[in-house]
Amino acid sequence: MTSTSVETPRAGLSPLLRLLILTQLAFNIGFFAVLPFLADHLGRAVGMAGWLVGFVLGLRTFSQQGLFVVGGALADRYGIRPVVLAGCALRIGGFGWLGYAERTGAVIGAVLLIGFAAALFSPAVESEVARQAVLHEKAGGHRTRVLALFTVAGQAGAFVGPLLGALLLSVDFRTVCLTGAGIFVLVLAGHAWLLPQRVPGRQQVQLRGGLGTLVRNRGFLALCCAYGAYLLGYNQLYLALPEEVERATGSQSALAWLFALSSLLVVTAQLPVTRWAGSRSALRRSMAAGLLLIGAGFAVVAAARPADWTGVQGLVPSAGFVVLLTLGQMLVAPAARAWVPDLAPEGRLGLYTGALSSVSGLIVLAGSSLTGSLLNAGLPPAVPWLALAAVPLAAIGLLPREEDTGRVSVAPGS
């Protein structure tokens, strides 16, 4: 396995890349079997107020995305295998704890553990996928096609996960959590067997020295802020969207189908969208177009809210939001990941991959609490959605320009 990490165009994806892409699939099946139903569980079963539900969801994102920089730095220092295995073990414990947590303190502890687990394994996997994608590009391939495949695998997991969770929720939320933990038991066992002890060509560097250079990298920090605005918008799938679906239909039963719609779009359209963007857009233009689509998704719901539609008709704006948000994601996520290797010093790709998510995690932590309060503030119904629409639109102006990074003109491949 380790001898074929650097691939040739004829060889296609290496065994290591195939393993990492399948890893993303398994991670998301386990994760999305639980997460879409967490907000409703916290509100109904645990009895949390709306602002506290928003805070806990933001805390989960922060403990994951916000601490990615730690996992990325550890992957640079010790390699990806020990970091991935430790993260899987923590995720198993976190899901098991959440299944039995009945008080606010216990819920917060479980959510923090679940988030930190991903902060270990995800940047390790993502940074190695990005490094392998660059090697693939040097061999004549296209880095963004590799990263698009990675995204497709993740969304395939996000498609299966909510359907599995909805099925298991007919038993109870604890069963959902324990099933998620069981999936990560299988992931842990598989990676203990298949993941190489050391990946050829990946340098191991000291922990010291990387952060100072990172905070002076204007282009990279600008990319982090724009990506954070995208992630805040994406996080509304778990906060604003469930509330809107329940308002329109009286329950959240349609939520699983909207998540399935999003994932199915990515699985079927991500590669064609990447191919189309690669023939027309640089990375900056791809991200700008994606952020514009995300803003338009929020605007669709804002425009429809005064009409106060209900039933199937009331789900139409939510479906429009999901479609536009997903199309935006298909442009933003691969472009951002493809951009990071051009901005990261040699040997620090894990740190920079982690920092991309850490900065965005801080944005989501602050933004989710504000969003939770905004949704429950008794404002005119369109106002929260208009405020959310403004965030990705404003982020377009934050994207790095050519003077901030010397390789902005690298275009997504096909």
Side-chain angles (χ1 to χ4, degrees):
M1 177 181 296
T2 58
S3 63
T4 58
S5 294
V6 179
E7 56 192 308
T8 65
R10 181 175 297 178
L13 297 181
S14 68
L16 177 57
L17 263 177
R18 288 197 293 270
L19 173 64
L20 295 175
I21 290 170
L22 289 173
T23 294
Q24 184 71 354
L25 171 66
F27 281 172
N28 278 10
I29 290 175
F31 180 68
F32 283 98
V34 177
L35 187 66
F37 311 100
L38 179 58
D40 184 63
H41 173 73
L42 296 182
R44 293 181 184 273
V46 183
M48 290 184 177
W51 72 268
L52 186 55
V53 172
F55 177 76
V56 170
L57 292 178
L59 193 62
R60 195 280 311 167
T61 302
F62 172 71
S63 65
Q64 177 174 322
Q65 307 289 341
L67 298 179
F68 260 39
V69 65
V70 176
L74 291 173
D76 287 339
R77 176 65 183 91
Y78 299 107
I80 66 171
R81 178 184 167 88
V83 180
V84 168
L85 296 182
C88 289
L90 291 179
R91 177 57 66 84
I92 293 165
F95 274 162
W97 189 4
L98 183 62
Y100 288 90
E102 297 180 351
R103 298 190 178 187
T104 300
V107 169
I108 289 175
V111 163
L112 287 172
L113 192 61
I114 289 168
F116 183 62
L120 291 178
F121 58 65
S122 287
V125 170
E126 290 176 12
S127 63
E128 187 56 37
V129 169
R131 195 180 74 86
Q132 293 291 326
V134 172
L135 296 176
H136 180 62
E137 182 178 66
K138 290 178 179 178
H142 301 279
R143 76 172 76 175
T144 49
R145 182 168 176 81
V146 172
L147 293 163
L149 285 169
F150 186 73
T151 300
V152 168
Q155 286 300 317
F159 175 79
V160 174
L163 298 178
L164 176 63
L167 179 65
L168 294 171
L169 201 61
S170 62
V171 182
D172 57 21
F173 185 74
R174 180 175 297 170
T175 301
V176 176
C177 291
L178 294 180
T179 301
I183 291 171
F184 276 89
V185 169
L186 297 177
V187 172
L188 176 63
H191 283 70
W193 178 38
L194 294 172
L195 200 59
Q197 293 285 346
R198 184 178 182 279
V199 179
R202 181 157 186 149
Q203 300 182 12
Q204 294 186 11
V205 298
Q206 295 297 318
L207 292 175
R208 293 181 180 179
L211 196 57
T213 302
L214 187 152
V215 299
R216 294 189 295 271
N217 191 325
R218 292 186 307 162
F220 177 72
L221 292 178
L223 177 65
C224 288
C225 291
Y227 190 77
Y230 145 71
L231 190 63
L232 177 61
Y234 186 81
N235 200 55
Q236 300 316 308
L237 288 173
Y238 315 116
L239 185 56
L241 181 64
E243 183 168 311
E244 173 62 14
V245 168
E246 184 155 357
R247 180 208 63 80
T249 65
S251 76
Q252 295 191 13
S253 60
L255 195 59
W257 296 104
L258 290 173
F259 275 96
L261 171 63
S262 174
S263 300
L264 187 61
L265 277 172
V266 175
V267 170
T268 58
Q270 177 69 75
L271 293 179
V273 167
T274 301
R275 189 178 302 114
W276 176 86
S279 65
R280 292 164 175 81
S281 300
L283 295 179
R284 188 179 193 279
R285 289 194 292 274
S286 289
M287 288 196 67
L291 291 167
L292 183 63
L293 287 170
I294 292 169
F298 287 109
V300 165
V301 181
R305 279 298 282 115
D308 203 28
W309 294 335
T310 58
V312 175
Q313 185 182 31
L315 287 175
V316 172
S318 294
F321 164 70
V322 168
V323 169
L324 289 169
L325 179 69
T326 304
L327 290 173
Q329 174 197 0
M330 284 190 270
L331 289 169
V332 170
R337 289 173 180 154
W339 211 334
V340 174
D342 293 334
L343 297 166
E346 187 70 25
R348 299 288 184 184
L349 186 54
L351 174 66
Y352 277 64
T353 299
L356 178 68
S357 295
S358 291
V359 174
S360 63
L362 287 170
I363 293 171
V364 172
L365 178 62
S368 291
S369 296
L370 290 173
T371 302
S373 298
L374 198 62
L375 291 170
N376 292 282
L379 297 169
V383 170
W385 291 88
L386 286 173
L388 288 166
V391 175
L393 298 180
I396 294 173
L398 299 177
L399 290 169
R401 299 184 181 276
E402 192 165 356
E403 58 267 25
D404 297 318
T405 171
R407 301 186 66 181
V408 173
S409 60
V410 177
S414 58

